[in-house]
Amino acid sequence: MPDFGIGLDKQKALDEKMSSLGVSKSDIIEKFIRSAGPGGQKVNKTSTCVYLKHIPTGIEVKCRRERSQALNRYIARQLLLKKIESYILGELSEERKRIEKIRRQKRKRSKRAKEKILEVKRKRSKKKKLRSKVPEEDI
């Protein structure tokens, strides 16, 4: 079990997730790349970016979120497992559910729903107009 600089419970959970999805360590190609972005000289000299590829599915992941290579290895494995899970489970995966929820939220409203909303707005504006001050001349 590689040391990712995390707790044993998180490493155990990662291993369990890998075994439940049927992913073995030999199925994964791991490479290290020099990260880009903020960090200056330190980033230019060390290879902290982690590249993982799952051979059977062809899914690839790059992670350069943290400055630590060990932590990036852990995060990259988590991302890879999420992608593999969504690939295997398809409609049932958590990621797919989240994406579908966002799609439903952004979907255009029906004409009936739009009319209902506009009717409520009209009623509210009438109510607010009634609250306005009465001109002094009418009194």
Side-chain angles (χ1 to χ4, degrees):
M1 185 175 354
D3 182 34
F4 299 123
I6 55 169
L8 288 174
D9 51 334
K10 286 187 178 181
Q11 283 187 357
K12 234 180 208 180
L14 188 69
D15 285 341
E16 287 172 11
K17 184 88 168 174
M18 283 178 74
S19 62
S20 70
L21 292 172
V23 177
S24 68
K25 291 173 185 163
S26 60
D27 290 345
I28 298 173
I29 295 174
E30 184 175 39
K31 294 180 185 176
F32 303 104
I33 309 163
R34 290 208 175 115
S35 296
Q41 243 181 358
K42 173 72 175 156
V43 166
N44 298 334
K45 286 195 278 186
T46 57
S47 300
T48 54
C49 182
V50 178
Y51 166 85
L52 296 178
K53 182 176 181 178
H54 186 242
I55 299 165
T57 58
I59 296 173
E60 299 174 342
V61 169
K62 265 188 194 177
C63 180
R64 57 174 176 243
R65 197 178 297 169
E66 302 293 328
R67 288 177 69 180
S68 157
Q69 187 186 74
L71 211 50
N72 280 336
R73 287 178 74 196
Y74 172 71
I75 295 168
R77 276 176 172 67
Q78 281 186 320
L79 292 172
L80 183 71
L81 291 176
K82 276 185 186 176
K83 283 191 174 188
I84 291 171
E85 183 181 35
S86 65
Y87 177 80
I88 292 171
L89 299 178
E91 287 291 321
L92 304 173
S93 75
E94 289 297 317
E95 187 68 15
R96 188 65 58 104
K97 284 180 185 176
R98 187 183 68 79
I99 290 168
E100 278 300 316
K101 183 180 179 185
I102 291 169
R103 188 173 289 142
R104 280 194 308 273
Q105 288 171 344
K106 290 184 176 182
R107 189 173 53 204
K108 207 173 178 183
R109 286 193 176 100
S110 67
K111 282 186 178 182
R112 188 172 180 204
K114 243 184 204 176
E115 278 300 318
K116 198 173 181 182
I117 290 169
L118 289 174
E119 185 58 38
V120 170
K121 283 185 171 187
R122 283 187 207 108
K123 284 181 180 178
R124 178 157 291 140
S125 73
K126 283 180 184 177
K127 193 189 291 185
K128 284 192 168 193
K129 278 183 184 174
L130 291 173
R131 292 184 197 154
S132 66
K133 288 188 177 182
V134 180
E136 303 257 341
E137 300 163 1
D138 296 343
I139 299 177

